[in-house]
Every structure is written in C-alpha cells, then in structure tokens.
Amino acid sequence: MRLAFALLLLLLLPACSNHDDAPTPDAGDGLDAGGVEIDAGSNELDAGTLEKVCGEPGARFTTREPLAGCTKVLGTIDFRESVQANLQGLESLREVEGNLLFSDNKSLVGLDELASLTRVGGILQIVGCSSLKTLSGLRSLRSVGSLDIRSNGLLRQSEAEQFAAGLAVQGQKLTQDNGWDVRDSLPDGGSICGDGGSYTRESVVGCVVLRGDLQLRDVFAEDVDDLRDLHEIEGLLNIFRGELTNLDGLGNLERVGGDLLIHSTRLPSLSGLRSLRRVGGKLAISSNGQLPQSEAERLAQSVEVAGAVETSGNGDQLP
C-alpha cells in the first residue's frame, strides 16, 4: 500500500512544476494583471495641457518677447505707453497672477492674441488706447481683481459695459468715457447709412452714422446745413476747396473714424466742429488762406487724434 502511494506522488510532481513556470503579465507586454490590453498612449500628457509658468511674484514684464509661450505669469504685464501694435506670442496665456496694464497705446487695435486668457488676479487696465476698437479678443476672460476701462475713443461704451457685466470682479469696476454708441440712441427719424464706400453730401442727408467716407469737395456753406443729424463718420472726412464759410452744419459731429482733412478752403473758423471729440486717423489742416493758424492748432489740441497731426500753411502763415 505504501509503495503504491509513493508511485502516485512521483507521477504528480512534473505537473505541479510546469504550473510554476507560467509567465507573469508584464506592462511591457501590453497587458494588465488581468490580461486586458493597455493603450500605450493613454499615459501621455496632451501638449495643450502643459504649463509654462513665467516670472515670479512681483516681477514686471514690459515687452512681450519674454512671455512667448507662457501659460501663466506670476507677476505683472505692464504695457503702458507701449508702441506694440500686437501681442504676438501670448496666444497660450491663460492666467496672470498680477496686473495686466494697457494704457496710452495708440497702435493697439485688438486683443485677439489673448483669446485663451481666463483670469487676471490683479487689475485689468485698458485706458487711453485710442486705436482699440473692440474687446472681443478677451472672450475667454472670466474673472479679474479690478477693472478699469476708460477713455478709449474707438471702443463703444456699450461694449465696455457689456464686457464688464460678464466678468466676476472682486474689486472696483470702472468703465467710462469710451466711444459714444450712437446706435443705442438714434434720434427719431435718424438712420445708419452706407456700406463702407465713399459718399457725397447728397447721399448722407438724414444720416446719424455714416459707414464710409464723406467727401465735401467744392461745396458751399448752405450745402452742409442739412447734415445736422450726422454724429459719426466711420471713415474719413475730406473737406476740400469750395466756397465754405462755416461748418455749422457739422455741429453735432462727434467722431471721425478715419482721417480728417481740411485743405484749401476759405473757412475763417473751425468753430462749427464744436462737438468733435475724436479722430481715428490723422488730422491735417493745411493751406486754408483765411483760417488763422491758431484756430487750426486749437482744434488739434482739443480733439483726441490717433494718428499724425499736421497744421501748416494756413492764413497767418502764408507769405
């Protein structure tokens, strides 16, 4: 009996040893411990989620080049009195811990490079940027510490207010003295005219806003009298030659989006432009034989001009 039991054990031992030699699942085989296949790319980080943190608390950046590719800035971005016309290189920026400051930049026309920005921990200041027309580039922004949007001549006040209303603002919120939005308060019978072309006086009678250029060439004073509804010209205003003796018919004009050119007229005064506040292009007043030079300079000083200013060759400067 004992001999039979010993023989049975000898027969079972090889089977047990074969079981011990079975391979163990290895991550390199693409299998998990349960034999389920693993996606080899599932542990890779999406490049869009990688952070590039720049600066340190209290740091101040005054040019965009050191910020290229940054997703988070720990300090302040200070572009006050900058001449940079764009913000190229800041497309990845999502958060600024300090302040984001734009002021007195006459070249900046948009903020599209900041489309990924969601938060500014300190002050967002946009002041005196005379060429900035829209805040649409900040479409992802959700919260700021404080907000200061003032005196941006081409930016609609209504857009500034709507933008502010959509933000979580912890501190002070200030939006004032931006461009008047005549579209929100059209007078009875007033209209928005034009499609970006060039127009003569006859085409814009009754218009409150002209989408285009206005050419007043070789006209008389009475020809301008029927333009009293006009508050805004989105393009240029060219006043050239003619028998104009006053501009009283343009007494309600507040903004010219392009150039304002007054050349070779017989105007003795520019007092008719008493409501004009902003010129989005250049201002050129020249070769007006009966216009005192001091009158031309006075208008240039009283109006916010985004472009160059030229006042020369007027009345008392002529030989």
Side-chain angles (χ1 to χ4, degrees):
M1 182 68 178
R2 290 181 179 176
L3 180 59
F5 183 74
L7 290 172
L8 181 60
L9 286 176
L10 289 174
L11 290 173
L12 291 175
L13 282 175
C16 292
S17 97
N18 286 341
H19 222 18
D20 292 339
D21 293 336
T24 302
D26 184 87
D29 298 328
L31 298 174
D32 70 2
V36 180
E37 186 171 352
I38 297 174
D39 180 3
S42 64
N43 292 324
E44 294 182 2
L45 286 175
D46 180 357
T49 66
L50 295 176
E51 272 207 353
K52 179 181 177 181
V53 180
C54 300
E56 57 187 25
R60 185 175 297 271
F61 296 90
T62 58
T63 59
R64 55 185 168 83
E65 286 77 12
L67 302 172
C70 296
T71 59
K72 183 175 183 178
V73 172
L74 298 182
T76 284
I77 299 177
D78 187 351
F79 288 164
R80 290 176 294 181
E81 300 182 6
S82 172
V83 296
Q84 296 179 115
N86 66 70
L87 303 173
Q88 189 174 2
L90 304 186
E91 292 84 356
S92 299
L93 188 61
R94 298 196 297 268
E95 186 173 356
V96 177
E97 285 289 345
N99 304 322
L100 178 56
L101 308 174
F102 300 96
S103 64
D104 299 320
N105 185 328
K106 298 185 182 301
S107 302
L108 190 66
V109 297
L111 300 167
D112 289 340
E113 294 86 354
L114 296 177
S116 298
L117 185 66
T118 61
R119 176 180 174 270
V120 176
I123 301 169
L124 172 60
Q125 182 184 76
I126 305 173
V127 175
C129 296
S130 55
S131 297
L132 184 66
K133 296 182 178 180
T134 180
L135 301 173
S136 60
L138 296 173
R139 50 188 168 271
S140 299
L141 190 62
R142 296 292 177 264
S143 67
V144 299
S146 298
L147 183 67
D148 183 8
I149 304 176
R150 292 177 290 117
S151 303
N152 303 288
L154 300 185
L155 176 67
R156 305 287 181 191
Q157 176 66 19
S158 59
E159 182 177 349
E161 293 172 356
Q162 184 177 5
F163 174 76
L167 291 179
V169 182
Q170 298 175 358
Q172 185 181 28
K173 181 190 295 187
L174 188 61
T175 59
Q176 65 184 42
D177 296 332
N178 297 293
W180 176 58
D181 197 345
V182 68
R183 293 160 179 75
D184 292 342
S185 54
L186 285 174
D188 292 340
S191 62
I192 299 174
C193 309
D195 59 2
S198 184
Y199 301 89
T200 58
R201 177 196 62 83
E202 296 82 0
S203 306
V204 300
V205 173
C207 293
V208 175
V209 177
L210 173 62
R211 288 175 170 160
D213 301 334
L214 177 58
Q215 301 285 349
L216 297 178
R217 302 169 64 94
D218 300 308
V219 298
F220 296 86
E222 56 268 24
D223 292 335
V224 184
D225 286 342
D226 49 12
L227 299 181
R228 295 182 183 275
D229 291 330
L230 192 60
H231 286 75
E232 180 177 346
I233 299 171
E234 291 192 349
L236 67 81
L237 170 58
N238 183 22
I239 304 173
F240 180 63
R241 290 197 311 242
E243 301 296 326
L244 276 174
T245 56
N246 67 74
L247 295 173
D248 291 344
L250 295 174
N252 289 318
L253 182 65
E254 295 190 27
R255 188 177 81 88
V256 176
D259 299 338
L260 172 55
L261 312 174
I262 304 174
H263 181 68
S264 300
T265 72
R266 297 187 180 183
L267 288 166
S269 170
L270 300 176
S271 61
L273 296 174
R274 54 187 170 272
S275 299
L276 187 65
R277 296 189 297 170
R278 295 181 177 91
V279 174
K282 70 178 180 180
L283 173 64
I285 306 172
S286 60
S287 303
N288 301 285
Q290 299 182 35
L291 182 70
Q293 178 65 18
S294 59
E295 184 91 358
E297 293 172 354
R298 186 179 302 115
L299 179 68
Q301 292 170 2
S302 65
V303 174
E304 180 183 336
V305 182
V309 174
E310 177 189 344
T311 59
S312 62
N314 296 298
D316 44 6
Q317 284 193 340
L318 295 177

